[in-house]
Amino acid sequence: MPRPVLLIHGGAGDIGDSRVAGKFKGIKDALRAAWPQLAAGKSNAMDAVETAVRSMELDEAFNAGYGACLNTAGEVELEASFMEGHELRAGCITLLRDIMHPITVARRLLEQRRHVFLGGEAALKLALSTCSEQLAPGSLVTPSAQQALAEFKQQQAKGADTTYARTELDALRTDPSGDTVGAVALDMQGLIAVGTSTGGITGKWPGRIGDTPVLGSGTYADNLMGGVSTTGHGETLMRYNLAQRILAAMQHQQLSAQAAAEQECQRMTARLGGTGGAIVVDPQGELGISFTSRRMAWGYVSDGVIHYGINQQEMLQEPFDLA
Ligand code: ASP
């Protein structure tokens, strides 16, 4: 019987120092919300993923649900995906408005076993018919998201290049501010589940769809291979198909989850310029955490200790308590 694992991230990017404390708090809150039940065998991998992601969607420190970043029109368009690794069921949601928890809508789609990907009005309809509450327009918009959009527009007015990067040297230009959230869990039954939720990137065109709801890029789960949730510059991650490449490196090159995540994040950035990161859990519960952006918030609990970090080569630890 595998030991349960829950590994989460709070986004890869050029995250300013002033936002680090809020990220750490949000990571710990999400682990407190989801881990005890999973560790005790009282919830399965899907419940743990949904609970952890919902916690971060509520937290304005993250670019998901409340606090999601804004498109050029100043609006929130949400995206999420959910996948389980036993039957490979999946639910992917895009261009969803005014719903606090897109991850739950993605899970409802997965459970219905009819379609895999829904967008816009159809996604909203599913949300409302499966008990999500429709918020008043603008409810998810925060002052800091508005400020980030204003700064983006100033940069654009100064002639900043917003095409995607071509070389590693261009990478900083497309290093988004980060904050997308994701979770990968393995439960005692050997089920792997993965969920990822985002508002995309600040200043995206209305209607832009990123990597987060795309299987193989933002999310993938297969009990026989492992689970991956990614974050970073979506146009880069989609073109590289990061999640799937990490799992392929584990399967065909016999690399560990950690070695595969490092290899593929680095190859992606060397080849395409854009940056990103990934969290990985293999079927034995071994972890992989890697990113080529300046920072990526992540965390997990093991033997009563929270392990977390945000900088390269960093692992902070403290006792896991429920306070
Ligand atoms: N990957 C997300 C997107 O481009 C952004 C992020 O991970 O922060 O939509």
Side-chain angles (χ1 to χ4, degrees):
M1 200 191 277
R3 260 162 54 125
V5 175
L6 174 63
L7 174 60
I8 66 176
H9 73 74
D14 188 12
I15 298 157
D17 293 347
S18 62
R19 290 170 42 229
V20 170
K23 294 275 215 173
F24 282 160
K25 181 182 179 307
I27 290 280
K28 290 177 200 170
D29 286 348
L31 289 170
R32 284 192 194 104
W35 173 247
Q37 298 283 343
L38 182 72
K42 291 182 186 158
S43 68
N44 65 22
M46 291 175 69
D47 297 332
V49 163
E50 184 181 1
T51 303
V53 172
R54 281 176 69 98
S55 172
M56 293 187 281
E57 285 175 336
L58 277 176
D59 186 336
E60 68 173 301
F62 301 106
N63 168 19
Y66 182 62
C69 67
L70 306 178
N71 64 21
T72 49
E75 296 160 344
V76 168
E77 289 176 310
L78 299 164
E79 306 186 285
S81 53
F82 207 121
M83 185 165 186
E84 59 84 22
H86 175 53
E87 295 179 79
L88 307 190
R89 288 177 298 154
C92 304
I93 296 293
T94 190
L95 304 176
L96 178 66
R97 290 167 189 264
D98 305 326
I99 296 290
M100 180 67 85
H101 294 298
I103 197 67
T104 295
V105 186
R107 183 172 179 180
R108 294 288 96 83
L109 182 59
L110 174 160
E111 288 165 352
Q112 295 201 356
R113 297 171 180 266
R114 179 152 168 88
H115 297 304
V116 167
F117 210 149
L118 278 188
E121 283 303 309
L124 181 61
K125 226 169 152 180
L126 173 70
L128 300 181
S129 69
T130 52
C131 299
S132 288
E133 182 193 351
Q134 186 167 17
L135 306 170
S139 303
L140 300 173
V141 176
T142 59
S144 59
Q146 285 172 320
Q147 192 190 329
L149 180 62
E151 284 164 14
F152 174 85
K153 286 187 171 174
Q154 273 168 12
Q155 291 298 320
Q156 251 195 336
K158 283 189 208 152
D161 182 358
T162 51
T163 56
Y164 38 72
R166 284 165 290 275
T167 70
E168 215 165 334
L169 290 175
D170 290 335
L172 276 180
R173 189 161 59 63
T174 55
D175 204 1
S177 61
D179 306 340
T180 287
V181 306
V184 184
L186 168 70
D187 66 24
M188 287 179 188
Q189 277 65 49
L191 176 68
I192 293 177
V194 182
T196 312
S197 180
T198 191
I201 50 176
T202 296
K204 65 184 185 179
W205 292 350
R208 176 262 194 189
I209 297 169
D211 59 302
T212 299
V214 177
L215 299 181
S217 291
T219 289
Y220 205 79
D222 183 336
N223 288 358
L224 304 179
M225 297 164 87
V228 184
S229 172
T230 72
T231 169
H233 182 242
E235 281 64 15
T236 300
L237 300 173
M238 273 190 284
R239 289 158 63 222
Y240 197 70
N241 216 14
L242 181 62
Q244 193 57 46
R245 287 212 197 210
I246 290 171
L247 293 172
M250 289 160 64
Q251 196 176 33
H252 301 303
Q253 298 174 43
Q254 276 79 48
L255 294 185
S256 67
Q258 182 60 36
E262 282 172 17
Q263 170 178 294
E264 294 307 325
C265 288
Q266 280 162 18
R267 285 185 179 172
M268 176 184 79
T269 296
R271 189 150 168 212
L272 301 183
T275 63
I279 57 170
V280 187
V281 177
D282 80 7
Q284 285 72 47
E286 296 300 319
L287 308 183
I289 303 164
S290 185
F291 50 100
T292 54
S293 46
R294 184 158 84 91
R295 286 175 158 156
M296 180 180 83
W298 58 268
Y300 66 92
V301 183
S302 172
D303 295 325
V305 176
I306 293 194
H307 303 251
Y308 63 102
I310 196 164
N311 294 306
Q312 295 287 353
Q313 314 301 332
E314 175 180 64
M315 186 190 285
L316 305 169
Q317 296 183 0
E318 61 189 67
F320 178 67
D321 59 58
L322 290 172

CSV table of all heavy atoms in Angstrom, one decimal, residues 9 11-12 63 79 176-180 198-201 208-212 230-235 237, ligand 1:
chain,number,residue,atom,x,y,z
A,9,HIS,N,1.8,23.4,-5.5
A,9,HIS,CA,2.6,24.6,-5.9
A,9,HIS,C,1.7,25.8,-6.0
A,9,HIS,O,0.4,25.7,-6.1
A,9,HIS,CB,3.3,24.4,-7.2
A,9,HIS,CG,2.4,24.4,-8.5
A,9,HIS,ND1,1.9,25.6,-9.0
A,9,HIS,CD2,2.0,23.4,-9.3
A,9,HIS,CE1,1.2,25.3,-10.1
A,9,HIS,NE2,1.2,24.0,-10.3
A,11,GLY,N,2.6,28.6,-8.0
A,11,GLY,CA,3.0,29.4,-9.2
A,11,GLY,C,4.5,29.6,-9.4
A,11,GLY,O,5.2,29.9,-8.4
A,12,ALA,N,4.9,29.6,-10.6
A,12,ALA,CA,6.3,29.9,-11.0
A,12,ALA,C,6.4,31.3,-11.7
A,12,ALA,O,5.5,31.7,-12.4
A,12,ALA,CB,6.8,28.9,-12.0
A,63,ASN,N,-2.9,33.5,-8.1
A,63,ASN,CA,-3.6,33.8,-9.4
A,63,ASN,C,-4.6,32.7,-9.7
A,63,ASN,O,-4.3,31.9,-10.7
A,63,ASN,CB,-2.5,34.0,-10.5
A,63,ASN,CG,-3.1,34.1,-11.8
A,63,ASN,OD1,-4.3,34.3,-12.0
A,63,ASN,ND2,-2.2,33.9,-12.8
A,79,GLU,N,-9.4,29.4,-15.7
A,79,GLU,CA,-9.1,28.1,-16.3
A,79,GLU,C,-8.7,27.1,-15.3
A,79,GLU,O,-8.0,27.4,-14.3
A,79,GLU,CB,-8.0,28.2,-17.3
A,79,GLU,CG,-8.2,29.3,-18.3
A,79,GLU,CD,-7.1,29.3,-19.4
A,79,GLU,OE1,-5.9,29.8,-19.0
A,79,GLU,OE2,-7.4,28.9,-20.5
A,176,PRO,N,6.3,35.2,-16.2
A,176,PRO,CA,5.1,35.8,-15.7
A,176,PRO,C,5.2,36.0,-14.2
A,176,PRO,O,6.1,35.5,-13.6
A,176,PRO,CB,4.0,34.9,-16.0
A,176,PRO,CG,4.6,33.5,-16.2
A,176,PRO,CD,6.0,33.8,-16.6
A,177,SER,N,4.3,36.8,-13.6
A,177,SER,CA,4.5,37.1,-12.2
A,177,SER,C,4.2,35.8,-11.4
A,177,SER,O,4.4,35.7,-10.2
A,177,SER,CB,3.6,38.2,-11.8
A,177,SER,OG,2.2,37.8,-12.0
A,178,GLY,N,3.6,34.8,-12.0
A,178,GLY,CA,3.4,33.5,-11.3
A,178,GLY,C,2.1,33.5,-10.6
A,178,GLY,O,1.3,34.3,-10.8
A,179,ASP,N,1.9,32.5,-9.7
A,179,ASP,CA,0.8,32.4,-8.8
A,179,ASP,C,-0.3,31.4,-9.2
A,179,ASP,O,-1.2,31.2,-8.4
A,179,ASP,CB,0.1,33.7,-8.5
A,179,ASP,CG,1.1,34.8,-8.0
A,179,ASP,OD1,2.2,34.4,-7.6
A,179,ASP,OD2,0.7,36.0,-8.1
A,180,THR,N,-0.2,30.8,-10.4
A,180,THR,CA,-1.1,29.7,-10.7
A,180,THR,C,-1.0,28.7,-9.6
A,180,THR,O,0.1,28.6,-9.0
A,180,THR,CB,-0.7,29.1,-12.1
A,180,THR,OG1,-1.1,30.1,-13.1
A,180,THR,CG2,-1.4,27.8,-12.3
A,198,THR,N,-6.0,28.6,-12.6
A,198,THR,CA,-5.3,29.8,-12.9
A,198,THR,C,-6.3,30.9,-13.4
A,198,THR,O,-7.4,30.6,-13.9
A,198,THR,CB,-4.2,29.6,-14.0
A,198,THR,OG1,-3.4,30.7,-14.0
A,198,THR,CG2,-4.8,29.3,-15.3
A,199,GLY,N,-5.8,32.1,-13.4
A,199,GLY,CA,-6.4,33.2,-14.1
A,199,GLY,C,-5.6,33.5,-15.4
A,199,GLY,O,-5.9,34.5,-16.1
A,200,GLY,N,-4.5,32.8,-15.7
A,200,GLY,CA,-3.7,33.0,-16.9
A,200,GLY,C,-2.6,33.9,-16.6
A,200,GLY,O,-1.9,33.8,-15.6
A,201,ILE,N,-2.4,34.8,-17.5
A,201,ILE,CA,-1.3,35.8,-17.4
A,201,ILE,C,-1.9,37.2,-17.5
A,201,ILE,O,-2.8,37.5,-18.3
A,201,ILE,CB,-0.1,35.6,-18.4
A,201,ILE,CG1,-0.6,35.4,-19.8
A,201,ILE,CG2,0.7,34.4,-17.9
A,201,ILE,CD1,0.5,35.3,-20.8
A,208,ARG,N,-7.9,34.4,-24.6
A,208,ARG,CA,-6.7,33.6,-24.7
A,208,ARG,C,-6.8,32.4,-23.8
A,208,ARG,O,-7.3,32.5,-22.7
A,208,ARG,CB,-5.5,34.5,-24.2
A,208,ARG,CG,-4.2,33.8,-24.1
A,208,ARG,CD,-3.9,33.3,-22.7
A,208,ARG,NE,-2.5,32.9,-22.5
A,208,ARG,CZ,-2.1,32.3,-21.4
A,208,ARG,NH1,-2.9,32.1,-20.4
A,208,ARG,NH2,-0.8,32.0,-21.2
A,209,ILE,N,-6.4,31.3,-24.3
A,209,ILE,CA,-6.4,30.0,-23.5
A,209,ILE,C,-5.0,29.6,-23.3
A,209,ILE,O,-4.2,29.6,-24.2
A,209,ILE,CB,-7.2,28.9,-24.2
A,209,ILE,CG1,-8.7,29.4,-24.3
A,209,ILE,CG2,-7.1,27.6,-23.4
A,209,ILE,CD1,-9.5,28.5,-25.2
A,210,GLY,N,-4.6,29.3,-22.0
A,210,GLY,CA,-3.2,28.9,-21.7
A,210,GLY,C,-3.0,27.4,-21.5
A,210,GLY,O,-3.9,26.6,-22.0
A,211,ASP,N,-2.0,27.1,-20.9
A,211,ASP,CA,-1.6,25.6,-20.7
A,211,ASP,C,-2.4,25.0,-19.6
A,211,ASP,O,-2.6,23.7,-19.7
A,211,ASP,CB,-0.1,25.5,-20.4
A,211,ASP,CG,0.1,26.3,-19.0
A,211,ASP,OD1,-0.1,27.5,-19.0
A,211,ASP,OD2,0.6,25.7,-18.1
A,212,THR,N,-2.9,25.7,-18.7
A,212,THR,CA,-3.4,25.1,-17.4
A,212,THR,C,-4.5,24.1,-17.7
A,212,THR,O,-4.6,23.1,-17.1
A,212,THR,CB,-3.9,26.2,-16.5
A,212,THR,OG1,-2.7,27.0,-16.1
A,212,THR,CG2,-4.5,25.7,-15.2
A,230,THR,N,1.9,21.8,-13.8
A,230,THR,CA,2.9,22.7,-14.2
A,230,THR,C,2.5,24.2,-14.0
A,230,THR,O,1.3,24.5,-13.9
A,230,THR,CB,3.4,22.6,-15.7
A,230,THR,OG1,2.3,23.0,-16.5
A,230,THR,CG2,3.7,21.1,-16.0
A,231,THR,N,3.4,25.1,-14.1
A,231,THR,CA,3.1,26.5,-14.0
A,231,THR,C,4.2,27.3,-14.8
A,231,THR,O,5.3,26.8,-14.9
A,231,THR,CB,3.0,27.0,-12.6
A,231,THR,OG1,3.0,28.4,-12.5
A,231,THR,CG2,4.2,26.5,-11.7
A,232,GLY,N,3.9,28.5,-15.2
A,232,GLY,CA,4.9,29.3,-15.9
A,232,GLY,C,4.3,30.0,-17.1
A,232,GLY,O,3.0,30.1,-17.2
A,233,HIS,N,5.1,30.3,-18.1
A,233,HIS,CA,4.6,31.0,-19.3
A,233,HIS,C,3.8,30.0,-20.1
A,233,HIS,O,4.4,29.1,-20.8
A,233,HIS,CB,5.8,31.6,-20.0
A,233,HIS,CG,5.4,32.3,-21.2
A,233,HIS,ND1,5.8,32.0,-22.5
A,233,HIS,CD2,4.7,33.4,-21.4
A,233,HIS,CE1,5.3,32.8,-23.3
A,233,HIS,NE2,4.6,33.7,-22.7
A,234,GLY,N,2.5,30.2,-20.2
A,234,GLY,CA,1.7,29.2,-20.8
A,234,GLY,C,1.9,28.9,-22.3
A,234,GLY,O,1.9,27.8,-22.7
A,235,GLU,N,2.3,30.0,-23.0
A,235,GLU,CA,2.6,29.7,-24.4
A,235,GLU,C,3.8,28.8,-24.6
A,235,GLU,O,3.8,28.0,-25.5
A,235,GLU,CB,2.8,31.1,-25.1
A,235,GLU,CG,1.5,31.9,-25.5
A,235,GLU,CD,0.7,32.3,-24.2
A,235,GLU,OE1,1.2,32.3,-23.1
A,235,GLU,OE2,-0.5,32.7,-24.4
A,237,LEU,N,4.8,26.5,-22.2
A,237,LEU,CA,4.5,25.2,-21.7
A,237,LEU,C,3.6,24.4,-22.7
A,237,LEU,O,3.8,23.2,-22.8
A,237,LEU,CB,3.7,25.4,-20.4
A,237,LEU,CG,4.5,26.1,-19.2
A,237,LEU,CD1,3.5,26.3,-18.1
A,237,LEU,CD2,5.7,25.4,-18.8
B,1,ASP,N1,0.7,28.9,-16.9
B,1,ASP,C1,-0.3,30.0,-16.6
B,1,ASP,C2,-0.7,30.6,-17.9
B,1,ASP,O1,0.1,30.9,-18.7
B,1,ASP,C3,0.3,31.1,-15.8
B,1,ASP,C4,1.1,30.6,-14.5
B,1,ASP,O2,1.4,29.4,-14.4
B,1,ASP,O3,1.3,31.4,-13.6
B,1,ASP,O4,-1.9,30.7,-18.1
